[in-house]
Amino acid sequence: EELEPRCRRCPVLRPGTSYIAHIAVEDDNGASAYHRANNLAPATTLLRFRTADAAPPQWAGSYPAVADIQPTAATLRVALTEPGTAYFVVLPASQTAPSPNSIRTIGATAAAVAAAAASTSAAAAATLAAAVAVGAGAESAAATATAAGNAAVATAAAFASKAGALSLPTVGLSARFHVTGLTDRTAFVAYFAAEDLGNDDNSGAVGWRYSAAAAKPNLQPAPAAAIPFT
């Protein structure tokens, strides 16, 4: 972004690319009536920066994939072309496909439920389970969770076994999630969405920062990856 009114943007910069700006300055001595030359600074100033990565991650190789399908369980496998996070949810084939944003919200919430299952109170579990019901087709998976009670805990735990999030810090290295609680001889669809780590401020840049929008992770656009299985 422009830091000063007179600052000029380079016409063509590639996203996610490192650059060095060479800056030379001179005074306006030549503009005087004495017909003198401008005084050019003997050294240039270097400004190192990296443009924001505006592209979402891609799935690596043959991922995502559904493997080891059993009567009531299956294994989801994911890998990305850049460090990031993969989100997923398994829904009955009869339900409406969720958007990538809904998959991210559902997966992140389910992961939180799973992480806190051992110590979360019934009321807190109900709140988390209710938060899951935000995406198209996901409502029925958590709608039975009420304000409190063991039923809410059970509902949250059951949903957390069919959705989640996996951190993928290494390019091309896969991770897996074991889905349980499926119904035998029933058609399901595994939905996937992924985002990168966003853009961090480059410590080598002086007086330059990523905008708030550029700092956010890049989420894959619709339609979300979907793999049907039975």
Side-chain angles (χ1 to χ4, degrees):
E1 58 184 329
E2 295 183 7
L3 301 179
E4 299 291 343
R6 295 181 180 179
C7 208
R8 295 184 179 180
R9 296 173 187 255
C10 296
V12 178
L13 292 179
R14 298 178 180 177
T17 304
S18 296
Y19 289 92
I20 301 178
H22 299 258
I23 304 172
V25 296
E26 64 179 7
D27 61 22
D28 60 352
N29 193 50
S32 69
Y34 299 101
H35 305 290
R36 297 172 180 172
N38 291 349
N39 297 302
L40 180 65
T44 59
T45 298
L46 303 183
L47 176 62
R48 292 177 170 84
F49 66 96
R50 182 176 177 82
T51 53
D53 177 10
Q58 302 297 315
W59 298 109
S62 58
Y63 298 98
V66 178
D68 305 324
I69 300 174
Q70 303 171 21
T72 60
T75 299
L76 309 183
R77 299 176 183 270
V78 290
L80 295 174
T81 57
E82 63 176 299
T85 303
Y87 303 94
F88 43 85
V89 59
V90 174
L91 297 173
S94 60
Q95 292 194 13
T96 304
S99 67
N101 189 61
S102 292
I103 296 172
R104 175 173 59 182
T105 302
I106 294 166
T109 306
V113 170
S119 58
T120 301
S121 66
T127 300
L128 288 171
V132 170
V134 297
E139 288 82 355
S140 62
T144 55
T146 56
N150 292 331
V153 177
T155 301
F159 189 81
S161 70
K162 301 179 184 66
L166 288 172
S167 175
L168 299 169
T170 305
V171 174
L173 184 63
S174 66
R176 68 182 67 183
F177 181 88
H178 192 58
V179 177
T180 59
L182 302 177
T183 304
D184 191 15
R185 298 180 182 179
T186 302
F188 289 94
V189 179
Y191 296 97
F192 302 86
E195 66 181 8
D196 60 20
L197 302 180
N199 298 282
D200 293 326
D201 286 338
N202 187 338
S203 59
V206 179
W208 189 90
R209 294 291 183 270
Y210 286 113
S211 67
K216 295 179 180 179
N218 298 299
L219 180 66
Q220 291 176 334
I227 301 178
F229 69 96
T230 302

